[in-house]
């Protein structure tokens, strides 16, 4: 068993492995990050790590927070927060390439479920100036179709009743801000990095709604003093496998309990609205500060995330385990290309300096990256939280413009077909979704409607308001979903896709 990755062992790493270019002992933690999973550690933490090489930036170390599970803390604490980022792709000759960098920006990891008071005190610490989040779409306790706070969400109910021991992200934020307000401290920037449209504005609305129930004066202070920049992050980060751990340990010459794997491509766009300053993140290639992030968010959600989900649902249904495997199927590759070109890109015409054709070509290449086996089942999780912004907002724009939605409706039908819980080979899988129970109930109701015909069944599914919202009853969407869903069930995914492309 190789020795563990440790600060005192950094000098023993191979010369090709990057490492922190600063004295970690001099860092102060200006950032608290909720949801310290792989995605955060592959973008924000690594970008911050590069910036920390400037001594003038030493106030921007990170305290990470795991809301529920201790796994990340247990892996990183013996390594004093160090971990390896492996960026993987294929060279011109098809050979796999990997670049390793040990990241040192994470100074501590807290587990909220074990000690919520420690998290609240960290948010209220004088050094803290930014609280950032990657908690996935379901972590916002909101209705994905409307963006409204779900007052019946168990975390929301618990956190309103237990301000001393919140367990959800919104409760952590509001009760932590309440401490700052009560102590006369400076406000914070709350920075969402999740795949939500207008993620900062969405977070602001949810925080203010929650805070108003706690204390209207607190809500007024947050609304006037704290900032909520919108942002967009684009980097593909699959789940770390045991094979990744073994391969990276061999290259390091020491064990890393939880390295992170990602692609070299990086784009992070942030609105430059910070209450107490910010790191110089834009010194890193791929990062920019802007006045308005909305056009970049829309491109990411619709082109990258929308096509990713399309590949995931249809690919999983034919037993394809990874995105590169799905992209190797000519008919799926062609579907994604046509979906982007014909139905998604026309909704992005207002994005200045956006070369849609070049972005599409680069994206198809990224999805096909053989060095990054992103699992279709991982992407397929939480569809009720993802489909509204990844696919249905594009459907709305296309319908308003009088455009076709045939391939978008196929993607939506693919999600509905996926919800049956087994693929075309009979292999079963769990539906991992916060709305799994009401979705199963709606599927059973739709099956009863099927006796009246496939259109009645599709109409019942599209009437699920938490996902479809005001698209309920839309005849064009119902007709297209009816056609595709019927073909998916009777002829299978490949035949349905090929017919749609004919």
């Amino acid at each position: 068993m190789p020795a563990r990755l440790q600060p005192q062992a950094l000098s023993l790493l191979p010369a090709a492995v990057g490492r922190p270019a600063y004295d970690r002992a001099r860092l102060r933690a200006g950032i608290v990050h909720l949801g310290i999973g792989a995605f955060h550690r592959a973008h924000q933490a690594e970008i911050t790590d590069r910036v920390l090489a400037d001594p003038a930036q030493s106030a921007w170390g990170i305290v990470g927070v795991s809301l529920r599970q201790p796994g990340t803390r247990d892996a990183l604490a013996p390594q004093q927060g160090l971990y390896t980022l492996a960026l993987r792709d294929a060279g011109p000759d098809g050979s796999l390439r990997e670049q390793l960098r040990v990241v040192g920006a994470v100074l501590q990891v807290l587990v909220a479920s074990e000690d919520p008071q420690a998290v609240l005190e960290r948010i209220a610490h004088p050094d803290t100036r930014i609280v950032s989040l990657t908690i996935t779409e379901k972590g916002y306790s909101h209705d994905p179709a409307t963006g409204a706070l779900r007052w019946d969400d168990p975390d929301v109910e618990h956190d309103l009743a237990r301000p001393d021991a919140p367990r959800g992200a919104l409760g952590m934020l509001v009760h932590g801000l309440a401490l700052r307000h009560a102590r006369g401290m400076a406000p914070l920037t709350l920075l969402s990095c999740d795949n939500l449209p207008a993620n900062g504005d969405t977070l602001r609305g949810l925080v203010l709604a929650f805070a108003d129930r706690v204390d209207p004066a607190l809500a007024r202070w947050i609304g006037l003093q704290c900032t909520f920049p919108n942002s967009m992050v684009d980097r593909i980060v699959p789940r770390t496998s045991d094979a990744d751990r073994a391969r990276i340990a061999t290259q390091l010459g020491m064990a890393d309990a939880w390295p992170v794997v990602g692609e070299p491509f990086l784009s992070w766009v942030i609105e430059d609205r910070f209450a107490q300053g910010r790191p110089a993140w834009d010194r890193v290639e791929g990062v920019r500060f802007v006045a308005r992030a909305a056009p970049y968010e829309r491109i990411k959600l619709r082109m990258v995330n929308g096509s990713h989900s399309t590949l995931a649902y249809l690919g999983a249904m034919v037993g394809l385990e990874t995105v590169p495997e799905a992209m190797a199927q000519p008919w799926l590759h062609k579907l994604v290309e046509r979906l982007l070109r014909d139905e998604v890109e026309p909704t992005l015409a207002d994005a200045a300096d956006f070369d849609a054709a070049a972005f599409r070509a680069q994206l198809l290449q990224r999805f096909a990256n053989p060095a990054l086996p992103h699992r279709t089942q991982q992407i397929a999780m939480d569809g009720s939280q993802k489909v509204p912004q990844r696919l249905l907002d594009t459907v709305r724009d296309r319908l308003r413009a009088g455009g076709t939605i045939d391939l978008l409706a196929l993607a939506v039908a693919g999600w509905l077909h996926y919800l049956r819980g087994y693929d075309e080979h009979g292999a079963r899988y769990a539906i991992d979704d916060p709305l799994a129970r009401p979705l199963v109930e709606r599927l059973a109701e739709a099956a009863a409607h099927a006796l009246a015909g496939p259109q009645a069944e599709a109409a019942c599914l599209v009437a699920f308001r938490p996902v479809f919202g005001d698209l309920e009853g839309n005849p064009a969407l119902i007709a297209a979903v009816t056609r595709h869903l019927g073909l998916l069930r009777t002829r299978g995914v490949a035949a349905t896709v090929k017919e749609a492309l004919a």
Side-chain angles (χ1 to χ4, degrees), residues 10 133-134 187 236 253 291 297 308 335 340 358 362 400 403 436 449 484:
L10 289 175
L133 304 89
T134 48
I236 296 173
E297 293 173 354
H308 225 190
L335 170 66
L340 293 172
Q362 182 186 46
R400 279 192 288 265
H449 280 76
H484 291 310

Side-chain angles (χ1 to χ4, degrees), residues 97-176:
R97 303 181 297 192
E98 185 166 55
Q99 178 184 356
L100 302 184
R101 178 180 181 83
V102 173
V103 176
V106 177
L107 306 181
Q108 183 183 14
V109 177
L110 304 175
V111 181
S113 59
E114 293 180 357
D115 191 352
Q117 196 63 39
V119 179
L120 298 180
E121 288 294 338
R122 193 67 237 184
I123 292 173
H125 194 283
D127 286 345
T128 301
R129 293 191 269 171
I130 296 172
V131 178
S132 52
L133 304 89
T134 48
I135 54 175
T136 76
E137 296 91 340
K138 66 183 175 184
Y140 288 79
S141 302
H142 74 313
D143 186 322
T146 66
L149 183 61
R150 290 175 47 229
W151 296 106
D152 62 346
D153 180 270
D155 284 348
V156 172
E157 292 179 338
H158 174 275
D159 293 354
L160 285 171
R162 292 292 308 277
D164 59 322
R167 66 188 188 195
L170 295 178
M172 291 286 174
L173 291 175
V174 171
H175 294 308

Side-chain angles (χ1 to χ4, degrees), residues 9-19 100 248-254:
L10 289 175
S11 62
L12 304 177
L13 292 170
V17 176
R19 65 206 72 189
L100 302 184
I248 290 168
T250 297
Q251 294 181 69
L252 294 178
M254 57 189 75

Side-chain angles (χ1 to χ4, degrees), residues 11 49 63 88 91-92 179 232 325 329 354 382 391-392 451:
S11 62
D49 181 77
V63 170
R88 292 173 57 80
L179 288 180
M232 181 283 297
E325 289 175 9
Q329 307 301 313
F354 175 54
D382 303 331
L391 295 169
L392 296 180
L451 297 174

Side-chain angles (χ1 to χ4, degrees), residues 4 30 34 86 136 175 177 185 239 258 268 317 340 359 361 375 384 399 419 429 461 473 477:
R4 193 76 170 263
L34 305 185
T136 76
H175 294 308
L177 288 168
M185 299 175 67
R239 185 173 291 142
W258 207 324
W268 189 17
M317 288 304 297
L340 293 172
F359 189 92
R375 294 182 60 80
S384 69
L399 290 173
L419 291 175
Y429 48 81
L461 294 170
L477 179 59

Side-chain angles (χ1 to χ4, degrees), residues 25-46:
R26 295 185 178 181
L27 297 182
R28 290 184 292 127
I31 301 170
V32 173
H33 184 83
L34 305 185
I36 184 163
F39 190 59
H40 164 73
R41 292 194 285 135
H43 85 275
Q44 184 183 353
E46 191 244 352

